[in-house]
Structure formats: structure tokens, C-alpha cells
Amino acid sequence: MEKKKDWLIWVVLAAVVLICGGLTVKSLFDFGIIHIDKPYVPQYIDIEYNDLGSAKFLDGKTAWVSIFASDGSGSWDFTKQADCDLRDEMLSYYPVAAEWIAGEGKKYGFSPEFVFAQSPDDSLLYYEAKFDMELLDSKEYKQINGVASDEWFFVDENIDSGAIREKYGCDNVVYAIFLNTPADYYNTAMALATFRKKLAYPYEMLWLPANSCCPAVVAHETLHTFGATDLYTFDGYGISYGQPFGFDIFCTENYPTDIMLSTADAETGEKLKDRITREITDITAYYIGWINEPPFDVDGMEMVHSHFERR
Ligand SMILES: [Zn+2]
């Protein structure tokens, strides 16, 4: 009997070691720390221009639709002055971000414009919502799988996007969810964008937690919905353009002022509330289709080309 037990323990141990080893090797491949050289075939994202979701091309008019959402991370109570003040402050990020994007667009020969709510009275552009769960708690799940079902259902049932397009003459609509998060809230802003995979619903969204938001964050997340990617990390989940390990160093050296590299002021490291001191540089301009020629060796880095190249 004893012998049999020993044998069983060894089998279980061997299985545990095998599984752990396998998982470690798999994650080394997933994160691009080790990779096997294979002949590289330049890739283009297989998304047609017509399938680019609610934020297509960053020119002409874009509507930011505000959704002030109470969720598991915090509630809005607009009978309280503090919440009204915070709402006013967050709404004040829009004109700053809009003016900055317009100025950057001008450098590349484009004229992006934005319409947005400046008070709760802007009935087509302002909404309040309540969700039972913590919306940013499933941030990675949402990004990897490209789903935000509860938020999409809210938009589908409550917001007449067609009426917004018609009234304001908008080519693009971006839905911004404002969260009243506590000061020590750990999740940062995110966007759900149609640049890697087609989403089940065309609604492209931003989640903006109050404790870490500023105009540069609104601009950064909005740029994602138009195709821009993060420059401060590699593409560990295969949900972006296949940026290799060390991509952040490459970008820090070549595009140090880009807003997709950081949303903080380059000199002070502060999150400025009243202006944006960063830029849209050529790499971001390429991925949002403002320039057609890639400014770096996309094939050499084994990355995915901008879908706008084929437009
Ligand atoms: Zn980002």
C-alpha cells in the first residue's frame, strides 16, 4: 500500500512540474521574450475601411458622447456639489483635448473638429448610467476579447447615434464613460477600438476614471479609437500591431514627445489639467492614417502595417 502511495505522489509531482514548465515556456513565447525565427510575411489588418466602427478616420467632425456612469468603483450623486464640480472639471477636459487634436491635425493637413456636452443639458450628448459591476475590473478581458457587452447594450438602448450624426453632421462618434473613482483607484483609463478585430457592436468607447484623468488622457484614449497604439509597451496579448519586446525603448528614443508614449508633461511628469504639452508624431500619424508611408521599418520589426495604407 505504502509503495503505491509513493508512486502516486511521484506521478502527481511529475505532472505538476510538466504543467508549470509548459506554462512558463508558453508565456515566454507569448510575451515575445523567446521567439523562433520564421520567414516574415508583412501583414495588413484584415478590416475593411467600412468596418472601422464608430470612429473611422480622424478628420471632419467627431462627437464625444458623455456617459457619467455609477459602477462598483464609485457613484455619481449630482445632488452633491462635489460631484457636480468634478463633472464640470471632467467636461472641461474636452475643449482642451479638442483644440490640441485640431492643432496637431493642422500640422498634417487635416481639420479634425469635435462636438461635446458642456453641461448636463446637452440632451443628445450627455447621459447618466448605472452598472452593477466594476466596469474597469475586467479591463484586460475587455481588451483581449474586444467586448464590452453591458456598455454596448446601454448605448444601443439609450443613445440615438443616428440622430447625433444627423444633428451635428458627425462622421465619427466616440462614447466616453466617466467614472467617479476614489483617489487611490488602481485601474487606469482604457479604450475599446476597432483596429485589430471587428467588434460585435460598432461603438468605440473610452473609460475615464476621475482619479487619473486629464485632457491628455482623453486625447490619448480617443486616438486609440482611430487606430493609434500604445508606444510604451510591447504587444503581449497580440491585440495591437505586434510591437516587439523593447518597442518602448525604440519609441522613447525616436518619438519621445508622442502622446501615445505618455500622457504626462515631459518636463515635470505632471498630469496637467488645463493643457496638453505632448505631440502626435509620425508613428501615431501613420497608424491613424494621417501619413501613408510608415516612418519606421514596419517589416523589419515584424509589425502589422496601418490599415490606412490600403485605403
Ligand atoms: Zn493607451
Side-chain angles (χ1 to χ4, degrees), residues 52-65:
L52 285 178
S54 62
K56 294 178 173 63
F57 179 59
L58 188 48
D59 196 22
K61 244 185 214 171
T62 298
W64 271 312
V65 178

Side-chain angles (χ1 to χ4, degrees), residues 76-94:
W76 292 101
D77 176 359
F78 296 119
T79 61
K80 287 186 182 151
Q81 193 57 43
D83 281 9
C84 292
D85 291 346
L86 183 56
R87 175 174 62 189
D88 286 349
E89 188 190 316
M90 293 188 88
L91 289 175
S92 79
Y93 301 159
Y94 279 144

Side-chain angles (χ1 to χ4, degrees), residues 143 189-191 220-221 224 228-232 259-260 263:
Q143 286 182 323
M190 72 163 266
H220 172 113
E221 299 304 332
H224 275 310
T229 193
D230 286 321
L231 305 182
Y232 58 81
I259 193 160
M260 300 314 288
T263 51

